[in-house]
Amino acid sequence: PPTARSIALLLAATPTVQDAQPGVLHQLLEFSHRYTAQVLSDALVYAEHAGRSGKIDQDDITLAVQARVGWEFGGRIPKEYMLSLATQTNTTPLPSVPEVFGVRLP
């Protein structure tokens, strides 16, 4: 497959890797497939939470990758990125509460 060829070329182009067993290529293929599937699955959950069922944005994928890196590799999502997302989300005003809905509290 083209993905296997790309990974093999990356291994061959890395000067610190002089020789690798054939199983390494299969492990890297499996890891890349599993990682990509999990990131896209997480991005879909973020999109559904944002009210965009079935439509993934670049921001969803970025957040999924950063969250997965933080969870798997011990890093954290940068505070500045979370603040920019919060600022962008908070610019949209909340809908007004209708006058005839339920009990009105002071």
Side-chain angles (χ1 to χ4, degrees), residues 14-74:
T14 306
T16 57
V17 177
Q18 296 178 3
D19 191 23
Q21 296 179 357
V24 171
L25 180 62
H26 295 291
Q27 285 179 334
L28 289 173
L29 276 171
E30 193 273 330
F31 173 77
S32 65
H33 175 72
R34 183 171 25 102
Y35 182 79
T36 304
Q38 289 172 348
V39 165
L40 290 176
S41 173
D42 290 349
L44 185 59
V45 169
Y46 295 144
E48 287 175 358
H49 181 72
R52 292 179 270 107
S53 295
K55 186 173 185 284
I56 298 175
D57 282 348
Q58 178 70 30
D59 290 337
D60 300 326
I61 294 174
T62 302
L63 185 60
V65 168
Q66 289 181 346
R68 187 149 297 274
V69 165
W71 179 68
E72 288 183 353
F73 304 114

Side-chain angles (χ1 to χ4, degrees), residues 54-97:
K55 186 173 185 284
I56 298 175
D57 282 348
Q58 178 70 30
D59 290 337
D60 300 326
I61 294 174
T62 302
L63 185 60
V65 168
Q66 289 181 346
R68 187 149 297 274
V69 165
W71 179 68
E72 288 183 353
F73 304 114
R76 300 178 107 178
I77 298 173
K79 182 179 177 181
E80 295 79 20
Y81 179 71
M82 292 301 288
L83 284 174
S84 71
L85 282 180
T87 303
Q88 181 182 359
T89 302
N90 291 335
T91 57
T92 306
L94 293 174
S96 61
V97 179

